[in-house]
Amino acid sequence: MAVDYAVIVAYLAGMLAMGWWGMRRAKSKSEFLVAGRRLGPAMYSGTMAAIVLGGASTIGGVGLGYQYGLSGAWMVFTIGLGLLALSIFFSGRIARLKVYTVSEMLDLRYGGRAGVISGVVMWAYTLMLAVTSTIAYATIFDVLFDMNRTVAIILGGAIVVAYSTLGGMWSITLTDMVQFVVKTIGVLLLLLPIAIVKAGGFSEMKAKLPTSYFDPLGIGAETIFTYVLIYTFGMLIGQDIWQRVFTARSDKVARLGGTVAGTYCLVYAVAGAVIGTAAKVMYPKLPSSDAAFATIVKDELPIGVRGLVLAAALAAVMSTSSGALIACATVANNDIWSRLRGIRGGGRAKGEDHDEVRGNRAFILVMGVLVICIAIALNNVVEALTVAYNLLVGGLLVPILGGLLWKRGTVQGALASVAAGGLVVLGLMVKFGALANEPIYYGLLCSLVVYVVVSLATKPTDGAVLAAWRERLAGRDGSGAEAAAGPGSEPGSAADSVAAHS
């Protein structure tokens, strides 16, 4: 195990070193929160793939493969589909808005009154997303060090909080690129072929497992439909994803890089399901499907390779955890705390000296401690992730997509939609359970009906607000944003024209 330990320790030390390096670059709010909005295609693709493929996608994806076979790929597959849809149809417009949060986009579209309530919903989502990744540290460190669950969560969480707090998005971007490479080598190039060989190949797997394990729809059509609602649509509107879109140096980079990352997710989904299926052949009686990844790594991989694959699992967990953490802190500071301070104190005085980098850094630290505490109290990764996406999609999908695609939507409709969808989702999760399908079905339907009815029943959005919104969508905000959009921007694309006239 000494070699495995050395690999893991070197990896963790490298993450902290990049946090220190990132701290020296993050001198402004833009640098700290969105890496100066200047990532090129290669870095953008790697970091986007890294953030969406976290602990639930790796450990949970293998677990679903163990439980259902190849159809267990659907959860991660729908994440990839969502990222592709975001990149192809919406990322250009999102990048040109030059905002920091989803709530700022809602304020621009609806006239400045949708921020706090949408911020609270988005904060709850990003908080739970960070918690799910932090929970996964326990599984990895238990395999490597036979470590107590609480200690493992504190150790893994503390490292992520440290490098995220130091350098913000620059540190996270650099670490994500390393994590993307390690994840690709560890999971796709090492664990996948070794698992197939150890299980005796596909012929042996088919001979030992029920035919349902090789049915693409074996997990159930209703479950697949629910995954599409939760994860595909969730990819379109999550603050953690949008904040990465904001880092692209142009809308062309956002579209191209996101398309590459989404395609990578589809491959990763199938790989996880195959690994889980192989684990079912080798270990048919595991106490929990989530233990499949750790068991196959611990028992089947040679020294050194085991350390690299565990580093890959850590990479998957840390990339999503750090991305969700900075998103959570950004929303908490910019969409909730700053607005509440403005309401109570009449707003910040002009020329007030305020260190925005220091303020955002403090919020990352506070949110990180909160995430670690919640992760210690919870246990089920997939359940926690489902709660997060139910809140996000049920509360915010309709007002966000409605704002992008339907000019008749109003702020009253948006606020009522957020409140109604969020409350229905919460109530039905209490009644039917967090993993039930009813909360997202009825929550989303209620949100849509309320949005349309209230919008049609209230005064249309002011023409000046809509005109300013269209200018921002085109990359023109009167302060040089058009130039900042970069030479690859295409403000006159067909998709934007359709949206502007919907």
Side-chain angles (χ1 to χ4, degrees):
M1 292 293 290
V3 177
D4 296 327
Y5 293 160
V7 171
I8 296 294
V9 171
Y11 169 77
L12 295 177
M15 296 301 98
L16 292 175
M18 289 183 183
W20 181 261
W21 187 89
M23 182 178 68
R24 302 179 65 181
R25 295 202 60 167
K27 301 297 184 182
S28 68
K29 179 179 180 180
S30 176
E31 295 281 353
F32 191 83
L33 294 181
V34 291
R37 305 187 195 273
R38 57 180 192 235
L39 296 190
M43 290 194 73
Y44 181 86
S45 299
T47 58
M48 184 62 86
I51 187 176
V52 300
L53 297 173
S57 298
T58 302
I59 297 171
V62 171
L64 288 172
Y66 182 89
Q67 188 173 359
Y68 298 104
L70 299 185
S71 65
W74 274 106
M75 183 184 80
V76 182
F77 202 84
T78 55
I79 289 174
L81 293 178
L83 186 52
L84 285 171
L86 172 72
S87 302
I88 294 169
F89 299 112
F90 298 106
S91 63
R93 278 170 275 170
I94 293 170
R96 289 195 295 272
L97 287 174
K98 302 298 178 185
V99 296
Y100 291 99
T101 68
V102 174
S103 294
E104 287 182 46
M105 167 263 167
L106 291 173
D107 277 351
L108 284 172
R109 168 59 181 82
Y110 293 111
R113 290 175 288 169
V116 173
I117 186 171
S118 62
V120 170
V121 175
M122 188 63 75
W123 174 80
Y125 156 72
T126 53
L127 180 73
M128 291 305 295
L129 186 61
V131 166
T132 62
S133 296
T134 305
I135 290 172
Y137 296 129
T139 300
I140 300 167
F141 283 110
D142 176 61
V143 174
L144 188 62
F145 301 115
D146 193 25
M147 187 179 290
N148 175 269
R149 178 181 183 275
T150 299
V151 175
I153 289 174
I154 293 173
L155 175 61
I159 292 171
V160 169
V161 172
Y163 73 70
S164 301
T165 302
L166 286 172
M169 187 59 81
W170 268 122
S171 294
I172 292 170
T173 297
L174 293 170
T175 55
D176 277 358
M177 281 304 298
V178 174
Q179 290 159 355
F180 172 73
V181 173
V182 171
K183 189 186 310 183
T184 301
I185 296 173
V187 175
L188 297 185
L189 302 183
L190 292 177
L191 182 58
L192 175 61
I194 290 174
I196 293 173
V197 171
K198 292 285 187 178
F202 283 103
S203 59
E204 187 71 13
M205 291 161 64
K206 288 183 178 180
K208 291 187 175 181
L209 295 174
T211 56
S212 62
Y213 267 69
F214 302 92
D215 180 358
L217 303 180
I219 199 170
E222 185 178 0
T223 299
I224 295 170
F225 179 65
T226 303
Y227 284 159
V228 171
L229 286 183
I230 295 176
Y231 299 119
T232 301
F233 286 120
M235 286 292 106
L236 300 179
I237 58 176
Q239 169 66 26
D240 53 320
I241 309 302
W242 278 40
Q243 199 157 342
R244 294 309 174 96
V245 175
F246 301 150
T247 66
R249 70 178 176 217
S250 71
D251 53 334
K252 183 176 180 180
V253 168
R255 283 195 297 272
L256 176 61
T259 301
V260 172
T263 304
Y264 178 90
C265 291
L266 303 183
V267 175
Y268 199 89
V270 175
V274 171
I275 293 168
T277 304
K280 183 67 175 180
V281 173
M282 292 181 277
Y283 310 100
K285 301 294 184 180
L286 289 179
S288 167
S289 59
D290 279 345
F293 179 89
T295 303
I296 195 171
V297 169
K298 184 177 182 179
D299 293 348
E300 301 298 334
L301 298 186
I303 295 173
V305 173
R306 179 171 48 201
L308 184 58
V309 172
L310 287 172
L314 274 175
V317 174
M318 287 184 166
S319 56
T320 298
S321 181
S322 59
L325 178 59
I326 193 172
C328 178
T330 301
V331 171
N333 188 16
N334 292 271
D335 292 338
I336 301 176
W337 176 244
S338 294
R339 294 169 192 262
L340 293 178
R341 287 183 64 204
I343 292 171
R344 291 198 303 268
R348 184 181 300 162
K350 186 176 180 179
E352 178 184 344
D353 181 22
H354 181 72
D355 186 345
E356 290 185 291
V357 172
R358 184 173 60 186
N360 282 290
R361 185 173 280 141
F363 267 85
I364 290 178
L365 180 60
V366 172
M367 291 299 108
V369 172
L370 179 60
V371 164
I372 291 171
C373 292
I374 296 175
I376 292 172
L378 296 180
N379 192 31
N380 190 304
V381 174
V382 174
E383 183 172 314
L385 188 68
T386 302
V387 170
Y389 274 97
N390 278 349
L391 288 172
L392 175 71
V393 175
L396 290 180
L397 177 68
V398 170
I400 291 174
L401 293 189
L404 288 169
L405 300 173
W406 189 43
K407 68 179 181 180
R408 187 59 180 84
T410 67
V411 65
Q412 294 88 351
L415 292 172
S417 175
V418 172
L423 289 174
V424 169
V425 164
L426 285 173
L428 293 181
M429 281 195 295
V430 171
K431 180 177 180 180
F432 294 105
L435 296 179
N437 294 327
E438 287 85 355
I440 191 61
Y441 290 170
Y442 293 111
L444 195 54
L445 178 62
C446 179
S447 179
L448 176 61
V449 171
V450 169
Y451 179 73
V452 172
V453 170
V454 175
S455 292
L456 292 175
T458 52
K459 183 179 178 181
T461 304
D462 185 81
V465 172
L466 289 177
W469 166 251
R470 286 192 290 269
E471 287 291 294
R472 289 294 286 267
L473 281 178
R476 300 184 296 269
D477 65 355
S479 60
E482 183 177 12
S489 60
E490 301 172 21
S493 68
D496 292 336
S497 178
V498 171
H501 294 87
S502 297

